[in-house]
Amino acid sequence: MTAVTTERGTVERGTVLEARGLTRRFGGLVAVNDVSFDVREGEIFGLIGPNGAGKTTLFNLMTGLTPPSSGTLAYRGQKVTGLAPHRIAALGISRTFQNIRLFRALSALENVKIAQHVRTRAGLWAGVFGTSRAEERRVEDQAWALLDLVGLADRAGESAGNFSYGDQRRLEIARALATEPRVLLLDEPAAGMNTAEKGQLTAFIREVRARFDLTVLVIEHHVPLVMDLCDRVAVLNFGQLIAVGDPAAVQRDPKVIEAYLGGE
Amino acid sequence: MGDFLGQYGFLIVTMVQAGLLGLSLYFPLQAGQLSLASPGFYAVGGYVAAILLTNPAFAGWRDALGNGMFPLTWLAAALICGVLGLIVGVPALRLRGIYLALATIAFIEILRVISLNLSITGGAIGIFGIPQAFGFQDRWQYIWLFGPLLILTLLFARQLERSRVGRAFRAIREDELAADAMGVPPTHYKVLAFVIGAVLAGLVGAMSAPFLNTWNAKQGTFDASIAILAFVLIGGSRNIWGPVVGGALLTAVPELLRFLADWRLVINGLVLVVASLYLPQGIVGALGGVRRPPPPRRPPSVPVVVEAPGGGS
Amino acid sequence: MELSQLIQNLMNGLAIGSVYAIFALGYTLVFSILGIINFAHGAVFTLGAYFTYTLVVGQFENNGLLKGINLFPDGSPFSGNPWLFALATLIGAAVAGLVAVLIERLAFRPMRSRGGDPLLALVSSLGVALVVVNLIQLLVGAEIYNFPSDAYGQVRPALSFHIGEKVVIIRTVQLIIFAVSLVMLALLGYVIGRTRVGKALRAVAENPGTASLLGISVDRFILITFFLSGFLGGLAGTLVGTAFGVAGPYFGVSYGLKGLAVIVLGGLGSIPGAVVGGLVIGLAEAFVPAQYSAYKDAVAFALLFVILLVRPQGLLGRAQIQKV
Ligand SMILES: Nc1ncnc2c1ncn2[C@@H]1O[C@H](COP(=O)(O)OP(=O)(O)OP(=O)(O)O)[C@@H](O)[C@H]1O
Ligand SMILES: [Mg+2]
């Protein structure tokens, strides 16, 4: 059994997210069905499951993009379900999208600058009269630093839509980080990446987690990557949570094996 | 010079005015909102000014303020249109795309019918005999009002675009949902963009009422909305110069076509069709394609003290 | 309200409402396949009325370039008999349909193939409307042309009957309008429900891009839709022209705008919605009390505004959930 140890050691840390009975119906379909789990501070929490299991919907519930039919999610004890997405972002939960949703016509730099919105305050008149220069400079520096981090600084002026698939995913991570989150949700960050890139991604996520002191939730289909990266893994099948635990144990769970074999 | 202004002064002022109305639609469009409400606010602004300048109820104010009455009409129009924009915008901006456009069409039609029937707006006849602003003798002198307003609006728009609020507008235009998820509250900024447009249109209306001397329900119609939309789209909707160029050109075209006599309105329609087919990025967009903006330059992360050659201070 | 008044209002409302309905169907058909609003539809409505008038009367005496020209010096072959009048109406509507097809070819198709901003379709279709309206003005002037009272033969102008003390008067034209609209709706229902084109239309309305899967060429299919749309618009124009006169080049404009209210009220792109929306607005207008009749034209838009706020998908439209 692999020890559930983060790079910060096995120090006992609190619970960041508590999902209780999260449910979402679309007409007759129950995309997420009575899902409850806890996420601990600082861990990398994997979310796996066959196609259509409800993983993305779960992220949408957690970030306010889709209101739940019932159930709640609490972030550090504060209920976030029912809040608008931008409020949840302001609390410190940020995400990337499975079907990338960058501001395609805007430059990479601008994509990242926009996401600093909740951490800045210049209003209409401050902007028009140029009294927010110091803040603007901070936004600019921060954006460049984040682009550096994901290795896109030399293409800062290009439209996000022109980037390769992998680069767009990296840019989305930079954009998500620009909101200065405490919890980062990554929806299939490795999709469309080759094996070498996937390896780099694992290291990169670890590095980011350490550097920004994050809790990371990651949806990923590629099992070796999940096993390698995650401290704990949850498995969804037909909207239901069928297993949570450390990766090796989950991998041996008969229900999980059944779900994956049955799903093929 | 006097001759030229006598002949073309009115047209030139009208071209500037059209550019301003184009800009009033451009602000909501910046935030991705297709609002056709500008003529409604323009009409309201004009009525506010016309009423303040002619209604016996305000005779005392006019005597007391003299020429100061004109700035007061601007202020009043801007304020009333801003509040009206807020009242209409908050519910209407929950709608997207064509639905918002249709709601704003409904708004201007309702306003039109109301203004046709109220006595304070002069009913179907409207309000006439509106005094000339600051005792202007010639129509071209209104350039002293519309010109500075245009310059201020362009400066405002440019500054806005470079600011945090401008970025929020663009983010919403590109992808409202993603903007929301990245912490940009869409409703707040959509309403803000809408209100900016409303205030500008109201100001233009307040300045136009004395300029046109009369004001009636024909000022805020559906035709005007589409004309203004055409200013923006044919001028170019991605650049502050687009609405200005589009407004000026499309206002000048019917005048330039005067030699075609009765055919000119037909040709004017054709110009709209051809321009929308062949200039999908707008005139300014087509010109701008040649000149790309320079890539952003990385600022030095540590402030570097640059010494003037030769040193010393 | 007294019973006689109720029946009178009901009849007025149904007659005008059914015209709104068939006119609005023309909008909806185009919207459901192309996702655009064809602002030239009001102009096609006007054209339909003028085409029929040309066939039935053959001359425009008052003004314009065509002044003094008489197509039928010996009297129009379409005049004086209700069936021939009906034939003229159908031909007029069909020509309006062809004009709509022409508009599609000249103003919409090039834009689709270029992939410009879809908003530009609003501008180009309004440009087309300007061209049409001003051409009409150029050719026949801005005067109102009334169909001569004997144009459709010896038909009683109105039916009247008593309810208690009160008289209810129903103009024959209203009855005809209502009947023609019902026939058109039934025909359209058949076309959409039973034929291959209709099935493709529904399929595309629900899920754009599927027409080619059904073995129908998309371009041809769009042309058919525009023809139908123009036909319905032109027919509505003739019906209104028959009832109230062909009231100048701009007389389609207000119908064009109200048609928008109708389709949004019923649900954008929904075919039954256009019918329901038309009837609702027609009836609502008919029941506006006389002392507020000046506000009648605002009724449609007030309803439009309200429906957008409480139920943006319209009465019969389906809500769209955005997938993330
Ligand atoms: N907005 C929506 N409306 C209707 N059904 C939806 C919606 N969003 C998701 N669904 C349905 O809910 C189910 C779960 O979808 P979801 O995208 O959450 O799955 P997933 O686990 O992320 O799958 P994948 O691995 O393919 O990304 C699917 O059947 C999907 O079709
Ligand atoms: Mg998914």
Side-chain angles (χ1 to χ4, degrees):
Chain A
M1 206 194 223
T2 327
V4 186
T5 318
T6 73
E7 276 144 12
R8 319 193 137 248
T10 40
V11 198
E12 195 57 41
R13 299 181 99 182
T15 304
V16 209
L17 292 171
E18 293 165 65
R20 291 292 173 268
L22 278 177
T23 301
R24 171 69 208 201
R25 295 185 197 88
F26 293 111
L29 176 86
V30 190
V32 173
N33 192 353
D34 195 18
V35 167
S36 305
F37 59 91
D38 288 348
V39 179
R40 297 172 202 148
E41 179 148 24
E43 72 179 337
I44 298 182
F45 186 89
L47 196 55
I48 62 172
N51 287 105
K55 306 179 294 293
T56 298
T57 306
L58 189 58
F59 269 18
N60 291 344
L61 297 178
M62 298 171 73
T63 48
L65 294 180
T66 309
S69 306
S70 61
T72 57
L73 177 79
Y75 168 69
R76 292 182 197 284
Q78 182 184 353
K79 185 177 160 225
V80 299
T81 33
L83 293 183
H86 61 269
R87 297 229 175 274
I88 297 178
L91 284 177
I93 302 179
S94 192
R95 68 174 291 174
T96 65
F97 294 89
Q98 179 178 357
N99 49 349
I100 302 166
R101 293 188 80 149
L102 286 164
F103 308 117
R104 296 176 58 85
L106 306 183
S107 70
L109 188 69
E110 214 176 9
N111 267 275
V112 181
K113 280 172 145 186
I114 285 168
Q116 293 177 62
H117 194 87
V118 287
R119 305 296 165 218
T120 45
R121 44 190 54 257
L124 179 64
W125 298 113
V128 169
F129 292 118
T131 55
S132 54
R133 293 241 172 74
E135 181 182 283
E136 271 300 298
R137 199 158 315 125
R138 208 153 40 76
V139 167
E140 181 98 17
D141 288 345
Q142 172 91 335
W144 282 101
L146 285 167
L147 287 179
D148 260 340
L149 182 75
V150 297
L152 292 172
D154 50 342
R155 299 172 63 192
E158 275 179 56
S159 300
N162 293 345
F163 284 30
S164 73
Y165 212 59
D167 286 346
Q168 291 197 13
R169 292 214 176 275
R170 271 187 270 275
L171 182 55
E172 264 211 331
I173 295 178
R175 186 179 67 168
L177 289 172
T179 66
E180 298 178 19
R182 306 309 320 281
V183 178
L184 180 63
L185 313 185
L186 303 172
D187 197 343
E188 305 201 12
M193 290 188 177
N194 61 34
T195 320
E197 284 174 320
K198 277 179 182 155
Q200 287 165 13
L201 184 73
T202 309
F204 175 71
I205 293 175
R206 285 220 180 88
E207 183 198 327
V208 165
R209 186 234 333 230
R211 178 147 160 198
F212 297 97
D213 197 10
L214 295 173
T215 306
V216 180
L217 277 76
V218 50
I219 295 176
E220 185 48 61
H221 280 292
H222 190 62
V223 175
L225 193 151
V226 175
M227 296 303 146
D228 180 28
L229 176 66
C230 298
D231 302 314
R232 286 196 308 145
V233 177
V235 187
L236 272 183
N237 191 30
F238 291 117
Q240 278 173 317
L241 196 65
I242 56 172
V244 193
D246 81 83
V250 163
Q251 204 173 12
R252 286 193 306 266
D253 190 320
K255 272 187 293 185
V256 175
I257 295 166
E258 161 74 24
Y260 270 90
L261 294 179
E264 295 304 295
Chain B
M1 190 65 187
D3 260 9
F4 177 81
L5 285 176
Q7 197 174 356
Y8 293 108
F10 185 83
L11 176 63
I12 291 170
V13 175
T14 314
M15 285 163 70
V16 174
Q17 182 209 34
L20 281 163
L21 287 174
L23 283 167
S24 75
L25 193 148
Y26 171 79
F27 285 108
L29 212 53
Q30 273 281 293
Q33 307 307 305
L34 174 62
S35 152
L36 299 177
S38 283
F41 295 112
Y42 169 73
V44 170
Y47 275 120
V48 168
I51 291 166
L52 286 173
L53 292 172
T54 62
N55 198 296
F58 298 102
W61 297 27
R62 288 194 291 273
D63 289 342
L65 287 172
N67 275 336
M69 197 65 188
F70 294 101
L72 181 75
T73 63
W74 308 338
L75 204 68
L79 221 89
I80 290 175
C81 288
V83 172
L84 187 63
L86 207 61
I87 294 172
V88 176
V90 169
L93 289 162
R94 295 184 318 173
L95 303 166
R96 286 168 201 229
I98 196 75
Y99 286 93
L100 174 64
L102 293 171
T104 53
I105 290 176
F107 164 70
I108 58 174
E109 279 297 299
I110 292 170
L111 273 185
R112 189 177 66 84
V113 174
I114 292 176
S115 61
L116 270 176
N117 288 291
L118 290 183
S119 60
I120 192 170
T121 53
I125 304 164
I127 296 172
F128 43 89
I130 303 166
Q132 293 299 303
F134 305 107
F136 285 165
Q137 301 293 317
D138 279 304
R139 289 300 167 81
W140 66 262
Q141 288 174 301
Y142 279 86
I143 202 70
W144 303 125
L145 301 186
F146 289 112
L149 182 62
L150 179 66
I151 292 167
L152 285 179
T153 308
L154 286 170
L155 282 174
F156 176 90
R158 193 192 66 157
Q159 291 292 89
L160 179 71
E161 261 168 35
R162 295 174 175 179
S163 75
R164 171 173 176 264
V165 174
R167 282 195 296 271
F169 285 1
R170 281 193 293 283
I172 294 164
R173 180 186 72 201
E174 288 295 314
D175 186 338
E176 186 173 330
L177 194 137
D180 203 352
M182 292 303 124
V184 179
T187 311
H188 176 87
Y189 286 107
K190 283 178 352 184
V191 171
L192 179 62
F194 187 76
V195 168
I196 293 174
V199 167
L200 179 59
L203 269 175
V204 176
M207 289 182 180
S208 299
F211 173 61
L212 296 177
N213 205 237
T214 67
W215 204 255
N216 56 44
K218 285 211 184 77
Q219 298 301 333
T221 60
F222 167 70
D223 285 359
S225 330
I226 301 291
I228 296 173
L229 177 65
F231 298 163
V232 178
L233 293 183
I234 289 176
S237 61
R238 291 292 166 99
N239 184 298
I240 46 175
W241 292 103
V244 179
V245 170
L249 281 183
L250 291 182
T251 307
V253 163
E255 291 306 311
L256 299 178
L257 294 177
R258 227 170 237 297
F259 69 95
L260 292 169
D262 292 342
W263 285 92
R264 74 191 173 112
L265 291 176
V266 177
I267 304 297
N268 195 28
L270 279 180
V271 168
L272 287 187
V273 177
V274 171
S276 31
L277 292 182
Y278 294 97
L279 291 169
Q281 305 303 316
I283 297 166
V284 174
L287 298 177
V290 190
R291 200 172 51 90
R292 287 181 57 79
R297 276 221 322 275
R298 170 165 216 153
S301 44
V302 207
V304 185
V305 183
V306 183
E307 291 224 334
S313 50
Chain C
M1 188 180 298
E2 292 179 42
L3 184 62
S4 59
Q5 187 65 42
L6 185 82
I7 292 179
Q8 185 78 61
N9 288 348
L10 212 61
M11 232 9 254
N12 294 345
L14 286 177
I16 194 69
S18 57
V19 173
Y20 288 162
I22 56 173
F23 175 71
L25 275 173
Y27 266 134
T28 276
L29 287 175
V30 169
F31 184 86
S32 58
I33 54 161
L34 290 186
I36 55 170
I37 289 190
N38 174 14
F39 276 134
H41 194 51
V44 171
F45 167 98
T46 311
L47 270 182
Y50 276 95
F51 286 141
T52 309
Y53 187 86
T54 308
L55 290 175
V56 173
V57 179
Q59 56 179 333
F60 295 90
E61 291 149 350
N62 295 335
N63 217 332
L65 296 178
L66 296 186
K67 180 179 173 181
I69 290 178
N70 187 350
L71 280 183
F72 310 114
D74 308 324
S76 163
F78 295 99
S79 187
N81 172 319
W83 300 110
L84 291 174
F85 186 86
L87 183 63
T89 304
L90 290 182
I91 297 175
V95 179
L98 291 179
V99 171
V101 167
L102 197 69
I103 292 174
E104 200 288 310
R105 290 300 298 263
L106 296 181
F108 289 118
R109 187 179 298 188
M111 192 170 298
R112 275 204 306 286
S113 51
R114 267 158 219 278
D117 188 335
L119 292 183
L120 279 169
L122 299 184
V123 174
S124 77
S125 64
L126 198 91
V128 169
L130 276 180
V131 171
V132 170
V133 162
N134 287 297
L135 265 181
I136 294 177
Q137 173 141 3
L138 209 56
L139 292 176
V140 304
E143 284 77 10
I144 298 181
Y145 290 91
N146 283 305
F147 282 94
S149 55
D150 60 352
Y152 32 91
Q154 297 304 311
V155 179
R156 279 177 63 181
L159 304 173
S160 61
F161 51 91
H162 291 264
I163 293 181
E165 302 285 274
K166 304 282 176 176
V167 191
V168 176
I169 298 174
I170 294 170
R171 294 178 65 200
T172 313
V173 167
Q174 287 184 324
L175 283 180
I176 294 175
I177 287 179
F178 190 48
V180 170
S181 306
L182 285 186
V183 171
M184 281 317 301
L185 291 178
L187 273 177
L188 195 72
Y190 172 79
V191 168
I192 287 170
R194 294 291 143 90
T195 64
R196 213 160 67 102
V197 170
K199 282 184 189 140
L201 202 114
R202 274 181 302 158
V204 175
E206 287 187 4
N207 192 357
T210 45
S212 49
L213 301 180
L214 297 162
I216 287 190
S217 135
V218 175
D219 275 337
R220 205 180 58 131
F221 175 64
I222 290 175
L223 284 187
I224 294 174
T225 310
F226 266 85
F227 178 80
L228 277 178
S229 158
F231 184 90
L232 292 167
L235 184 69
T238 303
L239 292 176
V240 172
T242 316
F244 307 111
V246 184
Y250 289 92
F251 100 117
V253 171
S254 69
Y255 285 85
L257 280 175
K258 272 188 200 161
L260 294 177
V262 169
I263 52 173
V264 175
L265 185 67
L268 259 187
S270 157
I271 288 166
V275 178
V276 172
L279 292 177
V280 168
I281 288 182
L283 287 169
E285 286 184 350
F287 279 92
V288 172
Q291 68 265 37
Y292 298 117
S293 65
Y295 288 93
K296 206 166 171 169
D297 278 342
V299 167
F301 298 100
L303 281 174
L304 166 67
F305 207 76
V306 170
I307 194 84
L308 281 176
L309 300 186
V310 299
R311 196 179 151 83
Q313 71 271 32
L315 293 174
L316 300 187
R318 260 178 298 146
Q320 298 197 341
I321 303 178
Q322 212 187 1
K323 279 220 175 189
V324 183

